[in-house]
């Protein structure tokens, strides 16, 4: 199962079952690419805003709110991709 980069009714997680070659999987890949690109752009914007001594509290709060959204998306992508790595659920030798 693959965790999708969107949620269902009431914020519940959505999953797709398949080999990763279907329409929904390709759509999820495209959405993840957009989300990661937006996060990268936001990092640059936040960096520029922090360097600007004239940035207002409202501007900083706004960029932090967008960063929370982007971090939530990136975290979901990482969980989804990590869950698909073979043996990801197994503990390394010597840990137990």
């Amino acid at each position: 199962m693959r965790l999708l980069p969107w949620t269902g009714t009431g914020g519940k997680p959505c999953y797709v079952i398949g080999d990763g070659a279907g329409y929904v999987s390709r759509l999820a890949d495209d959405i993840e690419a957009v989300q990661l690109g937006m996060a990268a752009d936001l990092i640059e914007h936040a960096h520029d805003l922090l360097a600007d001594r004239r940035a207002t509290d409202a501007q900083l709060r706004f960029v932090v709110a967008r960063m929370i959204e982007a971090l939530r998306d990136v975290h979901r992508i990482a969980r989804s991709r990590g869950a698909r790595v073979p043996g990801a659920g197994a503990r390394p030798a010597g840990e137990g």
Side-chain angles (χ1 to χ4, degrees):
M1 280 195 325
R2 174 183 179 172
L3 176 65
L4 295 172
W6 57 80
T7 58
T9 305
K12 294 184 180 180
C14 292
Y15 297 89
V16 65
I17 299 172
D19 62 3
Y23 172 77
V24 173
S25 293
R26 289 191 311 273
L27 180 61
D29 290 341
D30 291 345
I31 290 173
E32 286 179 357
V34 168
Q35 289 173 325
L36 292 172
M38 289 172 58
D41 292 344
L42 184 58
I43 289 168
E44 288 186 35
H45 177 64
H47 184 325
D48 292 343
L49 191 60
L50 287 174
D52 183 356
R53 297 256 182 219
R54 296 170 297 158
T56 66
D57 288 348
Q59 290 173 311
L60 294 171
R61 279 194 300 276
F62 181 82
V63 80
V64 168
R66 302 297 73 81
M67 291 183 81
I68 290 168
E69 294 167 356
L71 184 57
R72 186 177 297 123
D73 290 341
V74 170
H75 182 254
R76 184 179 195 87
I77 292 167
R79 285 189 358 246
S80 177
R81 292 181 180 183
R84 290 179 275 144
V85 173
R91 291 184 180 203
E95 292 186 15

